[in-house]
Amino acid sequence: MGRTLDVDKHREKSQQILDAAWRCFVRDGFRGASTTDICREAKISPGHLYHYFPSKEAIVEALIEKSLQSIASHFDGIAQEEDVIQSLLSKVHEGFGKPYRPNMLLNIEMLAEASRNPSIAKILQRYTQRMRSLLADRLRDGQERGQVDRQLDPDLAATILIGLVDGVRGMAIKDPSLDTAKTVELLKSLMTRLVAPEASKNAPSDQPKKRVLNVR
Amino acid sequence: MGRTLDVDKHREKSQQILDAAWRCFVRDGFRGASTTDICREAKISPGHLYHYFPSKEAIVEALIEKSLQSIASHFDGIAQEEDVIQSLLSKVHEGFGKPYRPNMLLNIEMLAEASRNPSIAKILQRYTQRMRSLLADRLRDGQERGQVDRQLDPDLAATILIGLVDGVRGMAIKDPSLDTAKTVELLKSLMTRLVAPEASKNAPSDQPKKRVLNVR
Amino acid sequence: MGRTLDVDKHREKSQQILDAAWRCFVRDGFRGASTTDICREAKISPGHLYHYFPSKEAIVEALIEKSLQSIASHFDGIAQEEDVIQSLLSKVHEGFGKPYRPNMLLNIEMLAEASRNPSIAKILQRYTQRMRSLLADRLRDGQERGQVDRQLDPDLAATILIGLVDGVRGMAIKDPSLDTAKTVELLKSLMTRLVAPEASKNAPSDQPKKRVLNVR
Amino acid sequence: MGRTLDVDKHREKSQQILDAAWRCFVRDGFRGASTTDICREAKISPGHLYHYFPSKEAIVEALIEKSLQSIASHFDGIAQEEDVIQSLLSKVHEGFGKPYRPNMLLNIEMLAEASRNPSIAKILQRYTQRMRSLLADRLRDGQERGQVDRQLDPDLAATILIGLVDGVRGMAIKDPSLDTAKTVELLKSLMTRLVAPEASKNAPSDQPKKRVLNVR
DNA sequence: CATGAATGAGCTTTCATTCAT
DNA sequence: CATGAATGAAAGCTCATTCAT
């Protein structure tokens, strides 16, 4: 009982530290944020940090793990809706908009870090695989229902879809004047076209496509 | 004459240092690579580096500028071909494949750095604008010729296209088992569908699309 | 209690570092002494110095502040004696003599540093003002009692007195063979003449002036 | 002949470098100014500096030597006037006033440097001795003519006089609001009193002393 | 559980000086 | 006479981590 409480408290404190680290990493990046910064943000002493995490890298790993878990759980929701394409598009909005910018920045940090740090690469790859599987399964569902092009390789398409959303999200840095709303609309249209079956590609779903594209 | 030679030599040496820095930054990232590393790689003494660049950041900036310039010059080639869509697709291949992995890694580094360093953000934004303009102009050409959907906002579409390629390139880190050839094929197909006019979206160009998609 | 002890210990350690810095600065000057020197002298590691002071300049400032405070507190004593002139002269001895040479050297360093470093100039000016005020007040007292020339501007006279003592102290460097005892005697005589009222300037106090001046 | 021209040119260039160094040292101090700074100011290349001076210290030494020589030559003028006291006072003005501030700053630098660097100490001491001798000789002249107190030790008095002027000059740093004109007046009065013979100490010369002192 | 003192390697940068041309 | 490329030691400072309390 007491043991359980201790474990809970320990977990809670770890969480507080991770929250502080999240803020620091978003602000300064994995390399740019120092353990001192994190401790100050978490309001603990520098020595105490090592009571909860054996190293700075462990913090980064835990943070990435947690962050990806949260994103992946968003994907889980996909499986429950009826219309495959609609359920897919409904998730797109979430990655855009101001409050998601921190996550986007962390995503880029993760990519940068994973390209150099094998243990972080593994985490990233594990979650990517999981999310891609979920997406691919959904696409397969759609193919069975005739909502998705049967000639598409679901795994490959899922990969491309993830890359597409990631890449367009990153454009916010390359072009700060980007109009998010219009971007999301065109992005959705593009995703629809990617997965829609041949026959319906002229009129993908009931989406009022013409208005969407007519943005000039 | 002697003066010209001196300037040439200076430029050559600067270039050698940038080359060394490129290797270090690809290997360890902008923050991860130290000036000492760069000097060792360039085979110069630590002090001598500052004969050519006033700071480490100046090296990063010069490198990014040069790298983006080289990429942008690739884009310039787009303007010369007849078929808009074909000229666009022909450029896609180049971003994939093993020898381009370093550039992809640097691209991610740039994004990460630009999100925190305003002066680097500016460089990135300047070149992004330039490349997007070139692409958008090409799309406008295509629209006039009936090769590109007239309802498309060229600027927005160009932005999405860049993001799409960037994002899919980054998937190589998230999923190392990715089949590059197939990915490129699907990517091209997707790009074609994005820009193709309504009428031809069932049969985009002479590309044997069905085989392409039938990848299972 | 524990908190108080901690603060005390911190202050004590800071003091030890300042003592070490004092030795280094006296030996090599503010610029000539390195933080490494100070750490070696204080027997701490190079990084630990920054646990107590945010920068080398902060050490210099703290040291100057402390040093001037100590000198200023000497001046405070002036206010208590009866005979204004005697109390003034009694303080002169202290600035001369071998054990005071380090302070004299630091005084010169301060002047040199203050002429370039505004934040140190401010400290020096603040304390100068304070000491001059004390001196000027004493002179005003003397004027009321008829011990000091009523035509003298107390503030200006105080400034000159400080400059006089400083300058003569510095002569120890320009002329190492200087006879300190005789110098102090003549200095005192000069100071007496500066402040003494017109009437007594031929026979300043009960001091056997003739012997004092007859130093050949 | 050509040899002579060469020597002249060499001397001229050395002089230009010393002038540049003077500006740098006044601005940043002996330690604060780098050889690079001096070269930039003198518009020569870093390597070329060592064609004229074997080291930075040699520049400092040459500069100090030259500077003191110039000051000493001012003192030489003292010997020619009739009234000892007047000739002495006439020199005081020169050390004050804005255009002399650089020399005052260098004076402090010299003192600081001499306290650590024996070879510079020697130069300073040599010139101090020379100037003190000149002053002392003048005082001896005055004693013979009855213009100067016969009980005064000329050497000691000369030393004190130099220190007095130096010290008061330095007060400009400790108190930037100092009124130079009034300071000089009081300083002159003090110097007069120091050297004037007993009999005349109540009425030192024809100087309108009362107005001078009545500055409240 | 918690502190903060302490470490030492490593960072970017500066500097006086030397050398090849 | 003149350049500027080149050196390498040392500077002030930061950092992840450890340890005594």
Side-chain angles (χ1 to χ4, degrees), chain D:
Chain D
M1 233 355 182
R3 177 51 60 100
T4 309
L5 267 175
D6 284 1
V7 169
D8 278 358
K9 267 207 166 177
H10 193 272
R11 217 164 272 185
E12 196 185 337
K13 195 85 190 179
S14 298
Q15 192 48 57
Q16 281 172 23
I17 293 174
L18 284 181
D19 288 345
W22 185 84
R23 275 169 262 142
C24 293
F25 288 149
V26 165
R27 199 197 306 123
D28 301 317
F30 292 145
R31 309 266 172 142
S34 71
T35 52
T36 310
D37 291 338
I38 296 171
C39 289
R40 196 186 309 118
E41 184 82 34
K43 281 162 192 159
I44 59 170
S45 64
H48 201 35
L49 184 68
Y50 289 81
H51 194 75
Y52 295 93
F53 296 95
S55 69
K56 184 186 175 185
E57 210 197 319
I59 299 177
V60 172
E61 286 180 21
L63 192 69
I64 291 181
E65 187 94 33
K66 208 198 101 189
S67 168
L68 291 177
Q69 195 130 39
S70 141
I71 294 175
S73 74
H74 273 250
F75 267 73
D76 291 344
I78 283 185
Q80 275 128 25
E81 292 183 42
E82 265 287 301
D83 187 326
V84 174
I85 293 179
Q86 282 312 308
S87 75
L88 200 151
L89 294 183
S90 71
K91 294 293 160 191
V92 173
H93 260 106
E94 300 183 356
F96 293 82
K98 230 180 179 180
Y100 290 93
R101 189 179 160 89
N103 282 322
M104 185 258 283
L105 297 180
L106 273 193
N107 191 32
I108 293 168
E109 281 291 311
M110 285 183 213
L111 228 52
E113 198 60 27
S115 73
R116 242 161 262 122
N117 187 326
S119 74
I120 284 181
K122 258 184 196 163
I123 301 176
L124 196 57
Q125 287 160 19
R126 179 154 39 85
Y127 276 96
T128 299
Q129 197 172 9
R130 181 173 145 193
M131 290 187 269
R132 198 193 44 195
S133 279
L134 281 168
L135 221 59
D137 285 350
R138 254 345 240 146
L139 290 176
R140 264 183 279 267
D141 285 353
Q143 283 175 331
E144 281 175 20
R145 296 181 197 175
Q147 294 164 343
V148 170
D149 186 355
R150 287 202 166 81
Q151 291 179 311
L152 217 53
D153 176 342
D155 284 315
L156 192 57
T159 300
I160 297 251
L161 282 173
I162 294 173
L164 170 60
V165 174
D166 263 17
V168 174
R169 289 210 308 162
M171 288 305 289
I173 294 172
K174 295 193 171 185
D175 177 7
S177 70
L178 195 63
D179 182 326
T180 310
K182 286 182 188 170
T183 307
V184 171
E185 290 308 311
L186 187 49
L187 182 60
K188 282 184 176 177
S189 158
L190 186 56
M191 290 172 72
T192 307
R193 287 194 208 164
L194 172 62
V195 301
E198 290 301 299
S200 70
K201 265 171 192 170
N202 270 331
S205 80
D206 43 5
Q207 198 87 355
K209 189 189 58 187
K210 276 173 193 173
R211 251 190 297 130
V212 167
L213 291 175
N214 192 10
V215 283
R216 283 196 279 186

Side-chain angles (χ1 to χ4, degrees), chain C residues 13 45 47-48 51-52:
Chain C
K13 194 83 192 185
S45 63
H48 198 33
H51 198 71
Y52 295 93

Side-chain angles (χ1 to χ4, degrees), chain A residues 147-166:
Chain A
Q147 295 164 342
V148 168
D149 184 356
R150 287 202 167 80
Q151 291 179 312
L152 218 51
D153 176 344
D155 285 313
L156 193 56
T159 299
I160 297 249
L161 281 173
I162 294 174
L164 170 60
V165 175
D166 264 16

Side-chain angles (χ1 to χ4, degrees), chain B residues 2-192:
Chain B
R3 177 53 58 97
T4 308
L5 270 176
D6 285 1
V7 169
D8 279 358
K9 267 207 166 176
H10 189 93
R11 216 163 274 187
E12 197 185 337
K13 194 82 193 185
S14 298
Q15 193 48 59
Q16 281 172 24
I17 293 174
L18 283 181
D19 289 346
W22 186 84
R23 276 169 260 140
C24 293
F25 288 149
V26 166
R27 199 196 306 122
D28 301 316
F30 292 146
R31 311 264 174 144
S34 72
T35 52
T36 310
D37 292 338
I38 296 171
C39 289
R40 197 188 305 118
E41 184 81 34
K43 279 164 195 155
I44 59 172
S45 63
H48 198 34
L49 184 68
Y50 291 81
H51 197 72
Y52 295 92
F53 296 94
S55 67
K56 185 187 174 184
E57 208 196 320
I59 299 178
V60 172
E61 286 181 21
L63 195 66
I64 290 181
E65 189 93 22
K66 211 198 98 190
S67 168
L68 291 177
Q69 194 130 40
S70 139
I71 294 175
S73 73
H74 272 251
F75 266 73
D76 291 343
I78 283 185
Q80 276 128 26
E81 291 184 44
E82 267 286 302
D83 186 327
V84 175
I85 294 180
Q86 282 311 308
S87 76
L88 202 151
L89 294 182
S90 71
K91 295 291 160 192
V92 173
H93 260 106
E94 300 183 356
F96 293 83
K98 229 183 180 177
Y100 290 93
R101 188 178 160 88
N103 283 322
M104 185 259 282
L105 297 181
L106 273 193
N107 192 33
I108 293 168
E109 282 290 312
M110 284 182 215
L111 230 52
E113 197 59 28
S115 72
R116 241 159 260 121
N117 187 328
S119 74
I120 284 181
K122 257 182 196 167
I123 302 176
L124 196 57
Q125 288 162 16
R126 179 155 39 86
Y127 277 98
T128 298
Q129 199 175 5
R130 180 173 148 193
M131 290 188 268
R132 199 193 43 193
S133 279
L134 281 169
L135 222 57
D137 285 349
R138 248 357 232 144
L139 291 176
R140 266 183 277 267
D141 285 354
Q143 284 177 328
E144 282 175 19
R145 297 181 197 174
Q147 294 164 345
V148 169
D149 185 353
R150 287 203 165 81
Q151 290 178 310
L152 218 51
D153 176 342
D155 285 314
L156 192 58
T159 299
I160 297 251
L161 281 173
I162 294 175
L164 170 60
V165 175
D166 262 18
V168 174
R169 289 213 305 164
M171 289 306 289
I173 293 172
K174 293 193 171 185
D175 177 6
S177 71
L178 194 64
D179 182 324
T180 310
K182 287 181 186 171
T183 307
V184 171
E185 289 309 311
L186 187 48
L187 182 60
K188 282 184 176 179
S189 158
L190 186 55
M191 292 173 69
T192 307

Side-chain angles (χ1 to χ4, degrees), chain C residues 51-102:
Chain C
H51 198 71
Y52 295 93
F53 296 94
S55 68
K56 185 187 173 184
E57 208 196 320
I59 299 178
V60 172
E61 285 181 21
L63 195 67
I64 290 182
E65 188 93 23
K66 212 198 98 192
S67 168
L68 291 177
Q69 194 130 39
S70 140
I71 293 175
S73 73
H74 273 251
F75 266 72
D76 291 343
I78 282 185
Q80 276 129 23
E81 291 182 45
E82 265 286 303
D83 186 328
V84 173
I85 293 180
Q86 281 312 309
S87 75
L88 202 152
L89 295 182
S90 72
K91 295 291 160 191
V92 172
H93 260 106
E94 299 183 357
F96 293 81
K98 230 183 180 177
Y100 290 94
R101 187 177 162 89

